Amino acid sequence: MSLAVETSRGEEPRGARLIAEAIRRRRAEGAVPLVAYVMYGDPDPERSLAAAAGALEGGAAVLELGLPFSDPLADGPVIQAAGQRALGAGTRPSQVFEGLRRLREARPEAAVCLMSYFNPVLAYGCERWLGQAAEAGAAGVILPDLPPEEAGDLPLRARELGLAWIPFVAPTATEARLRAALAVGTGFVYGVALTGVTGASGGLDPRVPALVGRVRALTPWPVAVGFGLSTAADVRAAGAVADAAVVGSALVRLVARGGSAAEIRERVRRGVADLLGAP
Amino acid sequence: MPAMVQPDARGRWGRFGGRYVPETLVPALEELERGYREAMADPAFTGEYRRLLAEYVGRPTPLTPARRLTARYGRARIWLKREDLNHTGAHKINNALGQVLLAERMGKRRIIAETGAGQHGVATATACALRGLECTVYMGEEDVRRQRLNVYRMELLGARVVPVESGSRTLKEAVNEAIRDWVTNVDSTHYVIGSVVGPHPYPQMVRDFQAVIGEETRRQMLEAAGKLPDFLVACVGGGSNAAGFFAPFYGDEQVRLIGVEAGGRGLETGEHAASLSGGSFGVLHGAATFILQDEEGQVRPAYSVSAGLDYPGVGPEHAFYRETGRAEYVAVRDEEALAAAERLSRLEGILPALESAHALAYLERLMPETEPGQDVVVNLSGRGDKDVEILLAAGLGRRGSGEVGA
């Protein structure tokens, strides 16, 4: 793992430290730190929170709680369908703050990032949205369609609120783009494992190891790779190259099988444990 | 050449435009922006484009005086800019051909496109056939049903048409799916967006390829009337025909620019596609603009009888024109557009596309305000053959009009 992760960063946002430490701790235990994605509101708010709890109980280092959006450009069919289920069931994305508050009350140590497309954040009011996220106990925020050029001073506002600002880096990135993304990023760096949408298959893009090396030369934050990872072997492969692995669609598929909150929670818990190769 | 208003270096007209896309696409957009700038500065490229517009598309298109339509109102003279006479039957080919030539120049051999009414899909499939490129067109399942003849036309031209089954199954979802394809195949593929929407540089590039409409109109009007027109009227969905028509007149402040949106069943019903008249500020498909959305920022499906206007966003340049007051935007309802399509058929022997019929419908409100001696130019952006089934279903042409036997 990157030694840089262990460097001191007392000035950094509280949420960013929480995330980096959760990743470091899993690494120290000999596991691949997993960033587990769950769609808030799928199939309804209650059961999605059960899925989130299951992911943390199964050993996820970081929980990425996605908010449903009508036009999820970066997502493949599995997460699109989850968003449609959530919206179809009447979930309002702004309810997530209450859900997150309850999740954090039960697990004060959990590192949770909220992931949303930009338009719902804009409609809610960007600063108000960040403020609510921080107050509800989010460790960080992930806005996949807000590249650094368009983010303005929001990364700074997030930092002031103690929130990590998770940057995306792609294998196609130029040096200038990497620098722009990493200049504002904290917590962890989201490396896109392949050029495609979430849930695609095909394994790691051959450019990923080089990408991880380029990122590590520029930032002390851990690098997680995601997009297209669905099996324990994928997670191991990602863990060999990067500091952590992100799994989304594979877990969303487990939620999509339905059942009671308890059943979903147990299914996701076991799913995450299987991905980590743990009993 | 008349000056058009350009976006800033980040692709913004005022607070509109920009590049709100997943990181994977940013390098591709930077490459496209560079490639586009180089191509437009290369006389070999612009010469080839102009040559094909003349000998393949059939440009310049005529500016036709609409004498019987003018007589109906007895006010200003009405002229029609005949984009319906372009090869493939609409203005869409101006842009599709330009982008396909650009893709070729940039070494991309695979082309993807989205389409609503099918006109842009047909235009792109046509340009790809002409240049020997592979072509895939995404089309909402609902539009595939409404425009089945255009689907078959694209297939005849060698394109693969992929029906999109998610969400509202119309143009919005087709754009989403095309963007996802592009994210996945970005190295080999160019995405030919059909309107002045999407992330920078698309709104500017598509506008530039369509500006030939306004440039010709300006020249033709000066030749025919010795003056500039007083009013330009065009339909606005995403807004490409209107952008190309208006932009060369941007600096001619005495020329009133009027964009006509699809009011569907009426703005008050919520079932419309009028993003400027009935929407609010937001981000859709990579650009900040006016969009149809609910209070949580979820994008609402648009509705219009016209598949080509059935889109819940609008080009950022139009949003800028509206906010600065340079252009005005109005909406007409489905039945007004249908009646206007029938009216133009009977008075001028021209069956317009239902999209263009929205612009014609607004004449009913505009003409009483005009004076004899003034000139109104309507951009007749496409022909209506594709809409005959919809007109038939609406019962048009069957009512005794007194002019045509039943």
Side-chain angles (χ1 to χ4, degrees), chain B residues 11 26 56 62 76 96 112 158 162 203 215 240 242-243 248 268 279 285 322 327 344 356 388:
Chain B
V26 177
Y56 185 71
I112 58 172
V162 181
E215 286 160 10
S240 70
E268 70 288 352
H285 295 146
R322 176 181 181 262
L344 194 73
S356 322
V388 166

Side-chain angles (χ1 to χ4, degrees), chain A residues 16-37:
Chain A
R17 289 201 310 273
L18 184 67
I19 291 166
E21 276 157 24
I23 289 174
R24 187 190 55 76
R25 199 161 52 241
R26 288 300 194 292
R27 271 279 166 187
E29 291 163 8
V32 177
L34 193 71
V35 179
Y37 176 96

Side-chain angles (χ1 to χ4, degrees), chain A residues 70-71 75 94 119 150 177, chain B residues 12 19 23 296 298-299:
Chain A
S70 53
D71 294 80
D75 286 308
S94 57
N119 197 55
E150 304 294 356
R177 288 218 59 74
Chain B
R12 286 181 176 272
R19 198 176 263 170
E23 185 60 32
E296 290 256 352
Q298 305 291 332
V299 181

